[in-house]
Amino acid sequence: QVQLVESGGGLVQAGGSLRLSCAASGRTVNRYAMGWFRQAPGKERECVAIISWSGGSTHYATSVKGRFTIARDNAKNTATLQMNSLKPEDTAVYYCAARFGMAAWSEKDYDYWGQGTQVTVSS
């Protein structure tokens, strides 16, 4: 089992920045691909960023490309999502997720999830 806990959410003004962290425990997440997802009220959960187990390959949703950066530190069993130039439409609950093997865009491919952290961007 892998336990994931997100932190770093909060309230920020449009144009500001937040850094989300995901701490893993239970077993090492080395060799696990990681993803960040978000879900706004009344909307489907969407994948915003994924990263390979090595950290050498990253991909982003077009809505966040150039503004968000996903990274990981396998030695610390953490993954981060640096969010810059935040917009009100970024408001959502953000989740980190993990799966063994290749990174994927579908939430169905992920077995381990954090509890979520709220990000609210005011205008």
Side-chain angles (χ1 to χ4, degrees):
Q1 290 288 330
V2 174
Q3 293 81 46
L4 305 174
V5 179
E6 303 97 334
S7 63
L11 176 65
V12 65
Q13 293 181 340
S17 299
L18 283 174
R19 187 179 185 89
L20 305 183
S21 295
C22 178
S25 62
R27 62 179 296 181
T28 180
V29 293
N30 195 16
R31 305 282 181 168
Y32 283 78
M34 302 290 297
W36 282 97
F37 294 76
R38 68 185 182 188
Q39 187 168 24
K43 296 184 178 180
E44 298 291 325
R45 186 173 298 185
E46 63 174 340
C47 185
V48 298
I50 55 175
I51 187 168
S52 63
W53 65 265
S54 69
S57 180
T58 60
H59 301 276
Y60 300 90
T62 57
S63 59
V64 307
K65 189 176 297 184
R67 300 188 297 119
F68 291 10
T69 302
I70 187 172
R72 67 190 299 163
D73 186 339
N74 287 342
K76 297 181 179 179
N77 287 333
T78 59
T80 62
L81 185 69
Q82 178 67 46
M83 304 184 294
N84 299 325
S85 301
L86 283 163
K87 306 174 181 179
E89 51 262 45
D90 294 319
T91 296
V93 177
Y94 283 71
Y95 302 87
C96 67
R99 70 183 300 270
F100 185 81
M102 296 181 61
W105 287 100
S106 175
E107 63 181 287
K108 294 182 178 180
D109 292 321
Y110 289 83
D111 294 319
Y112 305 104
W113 292 84
Q115 81 287 356
T117 185
Q118 177 71 48
V119 172
T120 302
V121 184
S122 64
S123 59

